[in-house]
Amino acid sequence: PMGSERMEMRKRQMSTTQENPGAAQAQHSAGNRGSNACCFCWCCCCSCSCLTVRNQDEERTRTSHELQAESIPNCEESPAPTLEEVNAWAQSFDKLMLTPAGRNAFREFLRTEFSEENMLFWMACEELKQESNKSVIEEKARLIYEDYISILSPKEVSLDSRVREVINRNMLEPSQHTFDDAQLQIYTLMHRDSYPRFMNSAIYKDLLRSLSEKSIEA
């Protein structure tokens, strides 16, 4: 009967294993080495698909990191502000935000209030508007979302639910204007909340006094 033959074969296999445990272990080890040989075999790297996949992953990671670094810019390069420019900042928030020197000074103040992410987000949105390459737009939009919109990010900006819904819809097909509503809301928040305190801050007053003294000396 078939059942008897199977039982007899199992007994012979078990007997062989017990008599030669070292051979069975060696065979098992060889099998494991065979399954992982691709990852350790450097002499045949030309035909090793693992290396190809690894290189592609590293390239994608490198590109992502480069874009992420661009999305969090350092202070903008700008000439030192003049006394006339600094006085103009007090006239309106728009005039402050129009100049790199004004944005840098305001950003320095926001850092003291732990709200620098508002300026970083606004600047990232401005940079996104300058892009024309579709793949770059999509990648930068994703990074902006992860850095400033996601509730998991430590740099999340404060947005209402309506604006968040708009962003989520826009992210289905990102464009240069995906975050326009959010950017306007953060601009308004900085204008109403942070700008008045900036005008009364030591950062602004010290800069104004320093430029005034230099003007008098000149």
Side-chain angles (χ1 to χ4, degrees), residues 66-86:
E66 289 171 355
L67 284 171
Q68 193 163 15
E70 292 176 4
S71 71
I72 309 176
N74 294 321
C75 287
E76 299 173 84
E77 293 184 5
S78 68
T82 65
L83 178 60
E84 182 181 1
E85 286 178 328
V86 174

Side-chain angles (χ1 to χ4, degrees), residues 141-157:
R142 181 184 64 80
L143 291 173
I144 291 173
Y145 188 94
E146 291 178 355
D147 285 339
Y148 306 109
I149 310 302
S150 172
I151 60 175
L152 301 177
S153 173
K155 296 179 293 183
E156 178 195 5
V157 296

Side-chain angles (χ1 to χ4, degrees), residues 122-144:
W122 185 88
M123 292 171 64
C125 292
E126 287 295 294
E127 184 179 338
L128 179 65
K129 291 177 181 178
Q130 307 305 314
E131 292 292 344
S132 57
N133 184 286
K134 189 175 185 297
S135 60
V136 175
I137 289 172
E138 290 176 350
E139 180 67 7
K140 286 194 173 185
R142 181 184 64 80
L143 291 173
I144 291 173

Side-chain angles (χ1 to χ4, degrees), residues 53-173:
V53 172
R54 186 182 304 162
N55 290 337
Q56 290 174 347
D57 289 343
E58 289 175 355
E59 184 64 28
R60 283 195 294 268
T61 301
R62 189 181 305 114
T63 302
S64 179
H65 286 172
E66 289 171 355
L67 284 171
Q68 193 163 15
E70 292 176 4
S71 71
I72 309 176
N74 294 321
C75 287
E76 299 173 84
E77 293 184 5
S78 68
T82 65
L83 178 60
E84 182 181 1
E85 286 178 328
V86 174
N87 278 320
W89 298 348
Q91 296 173 14
S92 73
F93 184 60
D94 291 340
K95 290 185 177 181
L96 168 70
M97 291 290 283
L98 277 175
T99 64
R103 292 192 293 271
N104 283 339
F106 187 53
R107 180 177 168 184
E108 182 182 353
F109 168 74
L110 292 177
R111 190 178 295 121
T112 67
E113 293 199 334
F114 305 100
S115 58
E116 184 184 14
E117 65 274 3
N118 289 332
M119 177 64 81
L120 291 174
F121 171 68
W122 185 88
M123 292 171 64
C125 292
E126 287 295 294
E127 184 179 338
L128 179 65
K129 291 177 181 178
Q130 307 305 314
E131 292 292 344
S132 57
N133 184 286
K134 189 175 185 297
S135 60
V136 175
I137 289 172
E138 290 176 350
E139 180 67 7
K140 286 194 173 185
R142 181 184 64 80
L143 291 173
I144 291 173
Y145 188 94
E146 291 178 355
D147 285 339
Y148 306 109
I149 310 302
S150 172
I151 60 175
L152 301 177
S153 173
K155 296 179 293 183
E156 178 195 5
V157 296
S158 179
L159 299 170
D160 62 36
S161 58
R162 180 193 66 82
V163 172
R164 286 184 175 277
E165 289 176 3
V166 170
I167 292 174
N168 288 334
R169 287 198 301 269
N170 291 343
M171 285 298 292
L172 297 175
E173 192 173 348

Side-chain angles (χ1 to χ4, degrees), residues 37-39 41-53:
C38 183
C39 295
C41 179
W42 297 97
C43 62
C44 57
C45 59
C46 293
S47 61
C48 180
S49 60
C50 285
L51 295 180
T52 303
V53 172

